[in-house]
Amino acid sequence: MNRRDLVVAGALSMGGVVWGQALADKMESAVVVRIAELEIDPTQLERYKVAVKEEMDTSVRMEPGVLAIYCVAIKENPASLRFLEIYANEEAYRQHLDSPHFRKYVVTTRAMIKARKLIETVPVQLSAKAD
Amino acid sequence: MNRRDLVVAGALSMGGVVWGQALADKMESAVVVRIAELEIDPTQLERYKVAVKEEMDTSVRMEPGVLAIYCVAIKENPASLRFLEIYANEEAYRQHLDSPHFRKYVVTTRAMIKARKLIETVPVQLSAKAD
């Protein structure tokens, strides 16, 4: 039984529970959650979205320590994006910053981003369904 | 085979994938993601956290349409909280607002919250690991 099987079995056996909460319980002090607020050049917004979606997909699929990346646009200002990113620990976050796909994203999107604010956080609670 | 089994089987068969992405693919136009920014009275912060954690736990466990609720504190200002909430659709969001546990949370915490900003969003991409 590999790690995935264990986690899925655990989630099933716990009824309504939730990888997010299970992980938060296990790694309460380790998990790194970062918020990013980005203002994209509206004329390059669609190209930016293509690049960031590829980077997000690759990161969550390839990097064991990238647990989740959510990207949403503010409804009243579609070029204003908000990210919430969950990493297993500081080392996973550093590895992500040093990954080839993240470096490619940085180079590709540099001229598309008008402003960027990175916000360090302390998790209060992370609750998510397993299904 | 119930819905949970189907989703878990699907996730397992897809290798590194990810309920968040699978759900986003299925319900791309339906998913509702809300951001909330709250300023809590620092003298009541610990009591607020107890109340909101209970409300988050109950919501994700009991409500099929509450997919995730994340709450983090800004590192430089621990009484400034950020929420990212993911609902299956508008109806699930409305049901959540009308649930007994959410109503109880509102009453319990009303005097603890100094300011609240609710931000409507349009999901760009939601990527999360299954394990």
Side-chain angles (χ1 to χ4, degrees), chain A residues 4 19 60 63 70 73 122 129, chain B residues 15 19 60 63 70 73 122 129:
Chain A
R4 168 186 298 274
W19 74 259
V60 171
E63 295 186 66
Y70 301 114
V122 178
K129 271 198 171 44
Chain B
W19 73 259
V60 171
E63 296 187 65
Y70 301 115
V122 178
K129 270 199 172 43

Side-chain angles (χ1 to χ4, degrees), chain A residues 1-12, chain B residues 8 12 131:
Chain A
M1 186 178 262
N2 64 21
R3 180 168 167 273
R4 168 186 298 274
D5 294 333
L6 281 172
V7 173
V8 171
L12 287 170
Chain B
V8 171
L12 286 170
D131 59 344

Side-chain angles (χ1 to χ4, degrees), chain B residues 95-109:
Chain B
Q95 282 181 9
H96 172 67
L97 297 184
D98 203 38
S99 66
H101 45 273
F102 185 74
R103 287 167 174 259
K104 177 187 167 194
Y105 157 82
V106 170
V107 172
T108 306
T109 61

